[in-house]
Amino acid sequence: MSEEFEVKGYRIRKDLMYTLDDEWVKIEGDIAIIGVTDYAQKKLKNIISIELPEIGRRMSKREVVATIESVKAVADVYSPLTGTVIEINETLKDQPELINHDPYGKGWIIKIKIENPSEINMLLKPEEYAKKIYETE
């Protein structure tokens, strides 16, 4: 398991990058794996469905790529980077609650081929994301 730390009861992994909109990003070469953070899933509570994008869809940074519905709210998931969807987590269609149970593992949402690597530098480091949570809560 990856190293992580907690801020106000929310888990943050040290091997990921983050957005101000509570997405996490794992960079593997020119591929980005994207999901929502522990903070986001706890705020949403029980997730009951998710709308996923089509494979092959090109998206710009900050474009809505998925919509999560919970018993509490509906939330958009934004692409943290410009790229093309190369894989979606099909399991979430039948088991969207995986986002609640394992947001940094089995609850990943999409994988994209990164188009503009310079955008990676604009993502938040774990410590910066922790500060965001600390100041929000």
Side-chain angles (χ1 to χ4, degrees):
M1 183 171 201
S2 296
E3 276 191 64
E4 57 183 48
F5 59 98
E6 280 194 17
V7 174
K8 297 198 172 193
Y10 302 105
R11 295 181 305 118
I12 299 173
R13 283 198 7 194
K14 292 183 177 182
D15 63 331
L16 304 175
M17 303 292 283
Y18 299 88
T19 70
L20 289 173
D21 296 313
D22 305 307
E23 290 90 16
W24 60 261
V25 183
K26 183 173 188 176
I27 306 295
E28 294 182 344
D30 64 348
I31 305 301
I33 305 168
I34 300 163
V36 296
T37 64
D38 186 49
Y39 176 81
Q41 70 83 15
K42 284 181 177 170
K43 291 295 181 186
L44 285 167
K45 304 237 187 255
N46 298 331
I47 294 171
I48 57 173
S49 70
I50 185 167
E51 287 182 33
L52 297 165
E54 296 288 322
I55 292 174
R57 177 177 155 200
R58 186 192 174 277
M59 67 195 69
S60 300
K61 179 181 173 182
R62 299 261 318 122
E63 186 175 332
V64 175
V65 295
T67 303
I68 296 173
E69 184 178 355
S70 74
V71 295
K72 184 178 177 186
V74 175
D76 290 329
V77 178
Y78 299 95
S79 181
L81 303 165
T82 301
T84 302
V85 177
I86 59 167
E87 189 176 342
I88 59 173
N89 188 345
E90 296 277 357
T91 305
L92 295 179
K93 290 178 181 178
D94 294 322
Q95 298 177 35
E97 67 277 6
L98 285 174
I99 296 169
N100 291 122
H101 302 308
D102 191 9
Y104 298 125
K106 293 179 181 174
W108 66 274
I109 297 173
I110 63 169
K111 294 182 183 181
I112 66 169
K113 182 165 178 43
I114 301 166
E115 192 174 299
N116 187 353
S118 65
E119 292 175 345
I120 295 168
N121 298 328
M122 294 180 249
L123 297 171
L124 301 176
K125 293 175 178 54
E127 300 76 20
E128 294 168 322
Y129 184 66
K131 183 178 179 192
K132 179 249 185 202
I133 290 174
Y134 189 79
E135 291 172 350
T136 303
E137 284 296 297

